[in-house]
């Protein structure tokens, strides 16, 4: 694990911009350079002010940054840093369009190490708010610049400690058309908080302090990357988060992730940072999903913070006004690298402890997991499903734990005692999960249909067939076109009887087809599974439970838990016996 560092940036690729910021002077960019810079609205809402002011503060090489806002930033935003400050003679230049100290020529973009480079933020902010910049190169110096809604610039002397404080009041006050688009203070505050969090995650070695509206002040001391992510992650992930690092040619990867047993049903748990900026990049988040996909059921997504550092020459941030999107050279090679590193990291998790057999490597609930009334269950002894076995070493024979089936309740849950714990198992979710794994591993066991399934070939079905032929082959569905119909002649043997569901799947209109394969398995598994309200005999129930307790991943294909577990200790506590 890396150790916290205070002033020096953690990355070897980022040293220039912050090394001697005071020596750099502000100038207005030559027109030909200015014209090559991606234009666009940088300041649309308060969160954008927070982002731009934080970028500026971070480019000044600070140890500590303090952020404050009122009414979600609409009334006030203030960002203070103890970085290099602005040269007193440069202060009036800072609010001019295209005035920057960070680049001079277009070539400088090739070796860009700062967050800013367009010289647009302060001039845009000055035009739409009441702006103050108070800055000093050394303790005891200091000048204060004031501009009211694009009016004249005034400068006065006022001593302060080294660093810069920028205060933005009354955003869009005299622009009713823009102000109208602001949301409530509450939701603007949420967006501001996201800006703050993104910057704090990108710069863990800098101390961040936040005073947001009436909330108590929060301090994030300088930290390692892992600690900084923990400070912002869902607390239930805390101790389970882990860090992996790797380098390859022109890329350095650090990744903080939760074991695959933790998942979400959307992609919001995947965050990508490139050269310390949070970016939105479909290819990179998909590279993460591919790696986790081997270990997580369909429809569930990991918690993963990807921090990439690339040689600036390999990436172009000059394509999006907010630098949210980037162009990476050789993206495929980079994606493959990310997937490989993560997969290699996740694979051994399936196979670790010789004493216990194959173990899903989570702490058992009693080890440090906060004692709650009931905890998610993590089986200690499992045998791998065959799809996992393909990528892991052969499993050890594991002793079969004793299981006592107690009965079904509410016509949905199976209750059992096992190894001193009480389990309540969702029979549908459990069965669905087993069927999902079966379908995935036995897609090649096909069966010809005596009566082929015919689907009318409207334009949507044709388009779907053309785009997803290979995927259908992979999942075991074979079909051909015959005039105005799509004729399915072979399906996986396990799917016998599901023809109507398959027909529906083929005909359904859909926009996003990214996770189609998983969606297919999840949907078919759902149809194959015992439902709520279905009574199971004791033998059937026991068989289901035994299979389910040997899964490495106690979640259904939609990411819901399969069971909850209550320990004897929990019962004792609840009954006041301890
Ligand atoms: P950019 O960051 O793209 O250069 P800005 O309009 O955001 O453009 O800022 C203009 C200039 O003002 C910067 O290049 C930098 O020299 C100076 N500046 C702004 N904020 C700070 C700060 N907090 N500390 C030191 N210099 C700053
Ligand atoms: Mg800037």
């Amino acid at each position: 694990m890396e150790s916290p560092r205070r002033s020096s940036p953690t990355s070897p690729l980022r040293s220039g911009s912050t090394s001697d910021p005071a020596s750099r002077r502000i100038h207005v960019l030559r027109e030909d350079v200015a014209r090559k810079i991606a234009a666009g609205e940088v300041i649309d809402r308060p969160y954008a002010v927070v982002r731009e002011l934080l970028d500026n503060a971070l480019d000044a090489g600070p140890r500590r940054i303090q952020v404050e806002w009122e009414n979600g930033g609409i009334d006030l935003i203030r960002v203070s840093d103890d970085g290099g400050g602005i040269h007193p003679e440069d202060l009036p230049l800072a609010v001019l369009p295209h005035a920057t100290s960070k680049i001079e020529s277009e070539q400088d973009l090739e070796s860009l190490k700062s967050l800013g480079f367009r010289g647009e933020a302060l001039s845009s902010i000055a035009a739409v708010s009441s702006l103050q910049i108070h800055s000093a190169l050394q303790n005891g110096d200091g000048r204060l610049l004031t501009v009211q809604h694009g009016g004249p610039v005034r400068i006065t002397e006022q001593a302060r400690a080294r660093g810069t404080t920028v205060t933005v009041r009354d955003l869009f006050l005299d622009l009713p058309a823009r102000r109208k688009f602001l949301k409530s203070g509450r939701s603007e505050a949420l967006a501001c908080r996201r800006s703050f969090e993104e910057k704090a995650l990108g710069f863990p070695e800098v101390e961040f302090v936040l005073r947001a509206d009436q909330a108590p002040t929060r301090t994030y001391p300088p930290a390692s990357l892992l600690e900084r992510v923990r400070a912002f992650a869902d607390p239930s992930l805390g101790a389970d988060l882990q860090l992996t690092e790797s380098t390859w040619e022109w890329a350095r990867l650090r990744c903080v992730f939760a074991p695959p047993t933790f998942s979400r049903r959307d992609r919001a748990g995947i965050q990508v940072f490139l050269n310390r900026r949070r970016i939105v990049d479909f290819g990179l988040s998909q590279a993460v999903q591919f790696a986790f996909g081997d270990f997580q059921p369909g429809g569930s997504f990991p918690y993963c913070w990807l921090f990439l550092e690339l040689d600036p020459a390999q990436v172009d941030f000059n394509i999006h006004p907010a630098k949210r999107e980037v162009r990476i050279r050789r993206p495929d090679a980079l994606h493959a690298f990310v997937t490989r590193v993560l997969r290699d990291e996740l694979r051994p998790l399936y196979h670790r402890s010789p004493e216990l057999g194959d173990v899903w490597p989570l702490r058992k609930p009693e080890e440090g997991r906060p004692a709650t009334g009931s905890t998610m269950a993590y089986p200690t002894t499992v045998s791998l499903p065959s799809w996992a076995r393909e990528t892991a070493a052969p499993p050890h024979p594991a002793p079969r734990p004793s299981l006592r089936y107690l009965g079904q309740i509410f016509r949905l849950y199976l209750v059992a005692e096992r190894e001193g714990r009480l389990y309540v198992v969702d029979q549908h979710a459990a069965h669905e999960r087993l069927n999902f794994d079966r379908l995935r591993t036995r897609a090649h066991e096909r069966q010809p249909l005596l009566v082929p399934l015919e689907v009318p070939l409207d334009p949507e079905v044709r388009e779907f067939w053309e785009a997803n032929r290979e995927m259908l082959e992979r999942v075991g569905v074979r079909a051909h076109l015959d005039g105005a119909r799509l004729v399915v002649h072979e399906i996986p043997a396990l799917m016998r009887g599901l023809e109507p569901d398959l027909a529906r799947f083929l005909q359904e209109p859909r926009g996003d087809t990214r996770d189609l394969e998983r969606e297919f398995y999840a949907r078919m598994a759902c149809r194959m599974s015992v439902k709520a309200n279905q009574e199971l005999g004791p033998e059937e129930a026991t068989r289901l439970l035994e299979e389910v307790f040997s899964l490495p991943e106690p979640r259904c294909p939609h990411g819901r838990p399969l069971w909850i577990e209550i320990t004897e200790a929990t019962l004792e506590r609840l009954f006041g016996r301890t």
Side-chain angles (χ1 to χ4, degrees), residues 26 56 60 81 85-86 94 99-102 116-122 164:
I26 304 180
N56 283 347
D81 65 68
I86 302 174
T100 181
S101 58
K102 298 170 192 172
F117 58 82
R118 300 198 175 110
E120 281 290 81
L122 288 181
T164 305

Side-chain angles (χ1 to χ4, degrees), residues 221-401:
S224 70
L225 183 65
L226 184 59
E227 288 162 348
R228 183 56 64 87
V229 171
R230 279 199 183 122
F232 285 96
D234 184 320
S236 68
L237 300 176
D240 288 300
L241 289 174
Q242 44 191 287
L243 171 78
T244 178
E245 302 190 53
S246 191
T247 51
W248 167 77
E249 288 184 29
W250 34 266
R252 174 183 182 208
L253 166 73
R254 287 177 303 160
C255 180
V256 177
F257 63 95
T261 26
F262 294 92
S263 62
R264 293 175 62 101
R265 265 182 274 172
D266 56 31
R267 293 175 180 76
I270 305 175
Q271 295 191 24
V272 180
F273 292 76
L274 207 157
N275 292 358
R276 297 182 166 225
R277 289 185 180 94
R278 172 80 201 280
I279 58 160
V280 175
D281 188 276
F282 176 67
L284 283 169
S285 49
Q286 202 180 39
V288 171
Q289 280 173 49
F290 280 155
F292 277 82
D294 288 352
F295 309 96
Q296 265 174 341
S300 57
F301 301 94
Y303 287 93
C304 182
W305 290 257
L306 199 65
F307 298 88
L308 275 164
E309 274 152 31
L310 305 189
D311 177 342
Q314 302 293 335
V315 30
D316 184 1
F317 276 97
N318 188 24
I319 60 166
H320 187 263
K323 307 171 186 109
R324 202 70 178 165
E325 287 163 22
V326 292
R327 196 176 295 129
I328 299 166
R329 265 160 233 169
R330 295 171 61 201
D332 295 343
L334 183 67
H335 298 166
F337 163 63
V338 168
T339 305
R340 193 171 61 240
V341 170
L342 282 174
R343 222 176 240 159
D344 288 350
E345 197 67 26
L346 295 170
R347 194 174 294 135
L349 298 184
Y350 266 94
H351 199 74
R352 205 184 249 167
S353 159
E355 315 87 71
L356 289 170
D358 300 292
V359 167
W360 185 249
L362 285 167
R363 289 170 298 106
K364 280 169 266 160
E366 59 271 36
E367 288 173 351
R369 193 167 285 274
T372 47
S374 62
T375 48
M376 274 291 308
Y378 301 103
T380 50
T381 317
V382 301
S383 68
L384 295 175
S386 50
W387 58 267
R389 237 175 262 146
E390 284 158 19
T391 53
H396 296 265
R400 172 165 289 197

Side-chain angles (χ1 to χ4, degrees), residues 45-217:
R45 286 171 48 197
Y47 79 90
V49 175
V50 172
R51 179 192 66 218
E52 293 297 329
L53 297 186
L54 278 172
D55 278 359
N56 283 347
L58 288 163
D59 281 341
R63 288 158 169 260
R64 183 171 188 271
I65 294 180
Q66 189 168 330
V67 180
E68 197 182 322
W69 63 70
E70 283 168 20
N71 188 22
I74 300 169
D75 296 350
L76 173 112
I77 295 170
R78 180 176 290 131
V79 175
S80 306
D81 65 68
D82 58 1
I86 302 174
H87 193 284
E89 288 167 20
D90 290 355
L91 199 52
L93 296 178
V95 292
L96 294 182
H98 302 304
T100 181
S101 58
K102 298 170 192 172
I103 62 165
E104 277 175 28
S105 65
E106 201 193 346
Q107 281 84 331
D108 291 342
L109 291 174
E110 294 273 308
S111 53
L112 187 73
K113 295 194 173 108
S114 55
L115 296 170
F117 58 82
R118 300 198 175 110
E120 281 290 81
L122 288 181
S123 73
S124 310
I125 295 169
V128 297
S129 70
S130 161
L131 170 70
Q132 282 195 328
I133 307 175
H134 190 191
S135 190
L137 292 179
Q138 295 168 53
N139 294 344
D141 291 353
R143 293 210 179 167
L144 176 69
L145 172 148
T146 313
V147 197
Q148 310 267 6
H149 303 281
V153 173
R154 266 191 322 235
I155 297 194
T156 52
E157 307 232 337
Q158 205 177 105
R160 57 161 289 149
R162 185 182 108 122
T164 305
T165 300
V166 180
T167 309
V168 175
R169 286 198 169 84
D170 301 329
L171 196 63
F172 305 142
L173 186 67
D174 59 355
L175 296 164
R178 310 259 312 260
R179 208 169 161 99
K180 189 167 77 190
F181 284 103
L182 293 181
K183 307 205 172 114
S184 68
R186 261 251 309 295
S187 43
E188 293 301 343
L190 273 179
C192 289
R193 191 175 285 276
R194 226 170 292 133
S195 284
F196 176 86
E197 179 178 329
E198 287 173 2
K199 297 302 164 188
L201 288 173
F203 290 79
E205 76 280 13
V206 175
E207 174 164 296
F208 279 76
V209 179
L210 177 62
R211 282 169 56 191
D213 289 314
Q214 276 73 47
T217 303

Side-chain angles (χ1 to χ4, degrees), residues 402-461:
S402 62
L403 173 79
R404 193 157 68 96
Y405 173 60
L406 299 171
Q408 190 197 40
I409 55 170
F410 310 132
R411 299 178 71 83
L412 172 59
Y413 303 104
L414 307 178
V415 183
E417 184 196 339
R418 179 174 165 268
E419 294 183 320
R421 294 182 189 144
L422 181 73
Y423 288 88
V424 182
V425 180
D426 178 330
Q427 68 178 35
H428 174 66
H431 201 204
E432 194 179 28
R433 175 63 221 248
L434 293 170
N435 283 327
F436 180 85
D437 290 346
R438 271 186 206 119
L439 280 169
R440 286 226 299 197
T441 48
R442 292 171 58 191
H444 55 282
E445 296 172 22
R446 295 197 197 90
Q447 191 181 50
L449 288 173
L450 290 177
V451 184
L453 174 68
E454 299 190 348
V455 180
L457 200 61
D458 57 37
E460 265 145 36
V461 174

